[in-house]
Structure formats: C-alpha cells, structure tokens
Amino acid sequence: MAKLKDQNINQDALSKAAYSLFDFTKKERTFLVTICILVSIAGIISPYTYWAMWFGFILAAYSAIANDSIQTIGTFIASNQNRKWYWLWLFMGLIFLGTVTFSWFTYNGDVSYQRLMVPGLEKAPESFVFLQLAAPIVLLVMTRLRMPVSTTFLLLNVFTYKAGTIVDVMKKSFIGYILAFTLAIIVWFVLEKFVETYLKGKPKPYWDVLQWITSGILWGVWIMQDAANIAVFLPRSLNVWEFVAFAGFIFIGLGFLFYMKGDRIQSVVNEKTRVTDVRAATLVDLVYAIILFYFKMANNIPMSTTWVFIGLLGGREIAIALAKSKKLEKRKLNIVQALYLTRKDLTKATIGLIVSLVMALIINEGVRNEVFDYFR
C-alpha cells in the first residue's frame, strides 16, 4: 500500500512538472520562437566572421545590459517608478556615452578601459564558432528566467584562450563577493537603527538629487568594468564608424530597457527589503560604487560585477534581519528569510558560472589543454 502511495506521489509530481513546462511553453511561445530563430541565425552566420561579429555584439549588448541592469539601474528604476521613463533613459544614456567616449579617446579606440588587454583576451576574434554566438542567447534565456547570471563569466570565458585568465577572473569575483557581503553586513547593521529612527515618512527632496548622483557615479564605474563583456566580440581598437555603431546601439537599447522598467530581472531587486525607498536605494548604490571603484583601481583583470552585487544585497538582507527585531523568534524568522533570498541568488549565479566553464572548455582548445595538463 505504501509503495502504491509513493507511486501516486511521484505521478502527481511528474504531472505538476509536465503542466508547469506546458504552461511555461504556452506563456512564453513568442519568446521561445524568437530564441529558435536566433539560434538558427547563429548557426548559419557563424562562418562569416564580419557578420558574426556584429550579430554577436548585438546579442551581447542587449542580453548583458538586460541582465546586469539589476546591478546598477535596478535600484534607480525601482525608486523612480513615478517618473517618466525617458528622463531616466536620457540621464543614464548620456552618462554611458560620456564614459565610453572617454575610454575610446584615451585608450586608442579601446572602449573597455583596457579590461580586454589582459593576457588571454587581448586578441580580437579572427573567427567564430556557433557556441560563442550562442553564449548571449543562453544569457537571454537565463535573464527571462529571472536569473542574475554573471555576464563576465558567460561572455568572456568563451573567448579566453588561457585557463589562467579564467581563474584570475573567478578569483577576483569571489573576493569581490566576500568583500561586498561582509561590508554590507557591517554597514547596514550599523545604519539600520539610524534608518529606523531618521529615515521615516516621505523622503526630503534632496534625497532624489543624492540618489541620481550616486546612481550616475555607479553606472559610470560599472561601464568601466563591464563594457568589456559587450566589446569582446569586436576589434580591440574601434574606428569611428565602429564606435558609433557600438555606442548608438547600446544607447537605443537602454531606452527600450527603461521603457520596459527593467523587464523581468527587475524582480531580483524589487523583492529585497525597502529597496524601492529612494534613501535605501541611494545607500545601496553608494556602497556598491565604492567597491567597484576599488577593484577598478586594483588591476585591469575583468571581474563579475554580478557576484559583487548579489553579495552586497545578501549581506544587506542579513544585516537588516539581525537588527530589525529584538524578539528572538521574529529575528530567527527574518534571518531564515534573508538566507533564503541570499542562497537563491547565489545558486542562480553559480549555475551561470558552471555553464560558462563548460562552454569555455568545449570551445577553446588552449583552455582544454591547460586543464588536462594540470590533472596529468
């Protein structure tokens, strides 16, 4: 009897899983058709280097900014939902244009602030394989599933021909996660009492000004770190027309993103505590900008800003849970909820890391040889 009951439970679970898959397919039919078309184009176009380069760039630009928008403009969108989208777009769009133009002039056509000049990434692709073009498509799917995936791992790893570079990027990113997580716990545990006491009621007008300033600074520093993830498909030194195409497409893409209010990935930010408050958003952006600027000055090795961001949000949630309630039972409940959100984001980011490593091993012979030599 028990065996029959177990079988019924398994059948119910399978039925629910099958229904969920069917429901997802039905709701996302247009998106799935689009993905199939993009995959087909990637397969056809990959032998034609010039067209593959621009096709990959377009996919990378949209998918990277759509996924990474939660890190920099996510809190900005969340706390400015009552404002017209085009004012937010123009503000962030002009900062983007100024930041990449400065790099293009200063570093002889390089828009990545020399993030692509490290060993293993300094050579522009001379040809493309299907999986390199598929990487941003995979990122689009993960973004649709609300997964805060590291675009640095997913897009750069498939072009890196040295395993040591991948290890360096991972090491820097993990250190960034730990630093952000620890710093967030300290900062918000100290600030929580101040927030509860003084940051009540309707925010004063000057908070809007402070938030726009900190968001703009953060956005600029983020571009210095992550422009490499998009430019990796392109020549390391862009001529005038290539630069116009690069900057113009992303500028227009930002407008679409603001019009969509961050799209589905925005929920990763919106589910966190008080993040829609302009004052909380300002504090998140300020701490995040300081951390990114520190790592930018440390060296030119690319890093995953996604891992830094989820570390920051995770540490902040735990600090608020620790400081919010004096009652032990309620505090435990708050901590469990904070740990759940932290673990969920970390798990999703880890899935993206594993996918990127597998793709890097399949695509790059140099990486495979280094890994196999290490284990011999």
Side-chain angles (χ1 to χ4, degrees):
M1 188 73 180
K3 186 176 180 182
L4 182 62
K5 188 177 179 182
D6 289 342
Q7 285 176 345
N8 289 334
I9 291 171
N10 290 335
Q11 286 174 356
D12 288 343
L14 285 170
S15 298
K16 286 179 181 177
Y19 178 77
S20 297
L21 181 62
F22 172 77
D23 190 48
F24 173 79
T25 305
K26 186 178 177 182
K27 287 180 180 177
E28 301 292 344
R29 184 169 53 187
T30 303
F31 175 74
L32 291 173
V33 169
T34 304
I35 292 299
C36 289
I37 293 171
L38 291 175
V39 169
S40 301
I41 294 172
I44 295 168
I45 208 172
S46 56
Y48 306 99
T49 303
Y50 181 79
W51 297 110
M53 175 184 77
W54 286 108
F55 177 75
F57 157 72
I58 290 170
L59 288 178
Y62 179 78
S63 60
I65 291 176
N67 193 283
D68 285 358
S69 64
I70 60 162
Q71 306 171 21
T72 49
I73 54 182
T75 52
F76 185 67
I77 291 171
S79 57
N80 284 281
Q81 292 180 3
N82 60 328
R83 299 183 188 277
K84 298 292 185 182
W85 67 270
Y86 46 80
W87 293 119
L88 307 181
W89 167 47
L90 287 174
F91 177 71
M92 289 298 191
L94 290 174
I95 290 174
F96 165 77
L97 291 176
T99 305
V100 295
T101 301
F102 179 84
S103 178
W104 185 68
F105 271 114
T106 306
Y107 300 112
N108 192 31
D110 173 33
V111 293
S112 73
Y113 282 81
Q114 297 192 306
R115 292 293 180 271
L116 294 175
M117 297 301 167
V118 297
L121 287 169
E122 79 282 7
K123 296 178 183 177
E126 295 177 357
S127 61
F128 293 89
V129 297
F130 168 74
L131 284 179
Q132 287 173 324
L133 298 182
I137 300 175
V138 171
L139 184 56
L140 280 173
V141 174
M142 290 183 164
T143 301
R144 194 72 173 185
L145 296 173
R146 300 180 178 90
M147 299 177 71
V149 183
S150 169
T151 57
T152 300
F153 290 147
L154 198 54
L155 296 179
L156 292 191
N157 281 359
V158 296
F159 287 97
T160 307
Y161 59 87
K162 287 189 176 182
T165 303
I166 296 176
V167 172
D168 289 340
V169 172
M170 289 172 58
K171 191 186 300 182
K172 188 175 180 181
S173 302
F174 295 157
I175 291 172
Y177 177 88
I178 295 168
L179 177 63
F181 186 82
T182 306
L183 189 60
I185 291 177
I186 296 169
V187 169
W188 266 278
F189 187 79
V190 172
L191 284 179
E192 184 58 23
K193 297 301 179 184
F194 173 81
V195 169
E196 285 187 349
T197 306
Y198 297 103
L199 301 187
K200 289 183 176 180
K202 191 176 179 181
K204 300 290 184 185
Y206 63 81
W207 275 105
D208 288 324
V209 177
L210 286 175
Q211 200 236 349
W212 280 57
I213 292 171
T214 54
S215 294
I217 293 171
L218 171 59
W219 176 235
V221 177
W222 178 86
I223 292 166
M224 295 175 189
Q225 288 279 5
D226 273 27
N229 302 346
I230 303 168
V232 69
F233 284 87
L234 302 176
R236 296 299 175 257
S237 180
L238 303 181
N239 62 38
V240 174
W241 296 112
E242 289 169 342
F243 175 72
V244 169
F246 167 84
F249 180 82
I250 296 175
F251 181 76
I252 294 169
L254 282 172
F256 180 74
L257 190 68
F258 275 105
Y259 178 75
M260 297 289 290
K261 295 188 181 296
D263 209 0
R264 297 191 174 197
I265 195 72
Q266 183 67 22
S267 63
V268 175
V269 171
N270 292 343
E271 70 185 1
K272 303 300 187 292
T273 307
R274 282 201 305 265
V275 80
T276 54
D277 188 313
V278 65
R279 296 161 295 197
T282 302
L283 294 174
V284 171
D285 288 351
L286 179 62
V287 176
Y288 187 30
I290 291 170
I291 295 171
L292 285 190
F293 186 74
Y294 166 76
F295 280 105
K296 178 195 175 299
M297 300 304 294
N299 54 56
N300 286 334
I301 295 172
M303 70 177 297
S304 170
T305 53
T306 299
W307 281 72
V308 175
F309 184 69
I310 61 174
L312 182 66
L313 287 185
R316 176 179 176 272
E317 288 296 305
I318 290 172
I320 291 173
L322 287 169
K324 194 157 63 170
S325 178
K326 292 181 180 178
K327 292 182 180 179
L328 186 61
E329 245 180 74
K330 196 171 181 183
R331 183 183 291 178
K332 283 182 179 178
L333 191 64
N334 290 333
I335 291 172
V336 168
Q337 177 65 17
L339 287 172
Y340 168 75
L341 291 174
T342 303
R343 186 185 63 190
K344 185 172 75 170
D345 290 345
L346 187 59
T347 300
K348 290 177 178 179
T350 302
I351 291 171
L353 171 59
I354 294 169
V355 169
S356 73
L357 291 176
V358 171
M359 292 178 74
L361 282 171
I362 294 171
I363 294 169
N364 298 307
E365 186 180 356
V367 173
R368 283 200 305 274
N369 291 339
E370 284 189 55
V371 172
F372 293 155
D373 288 343
Y374 179 80
F375 287 104
R376 280 174 187 168

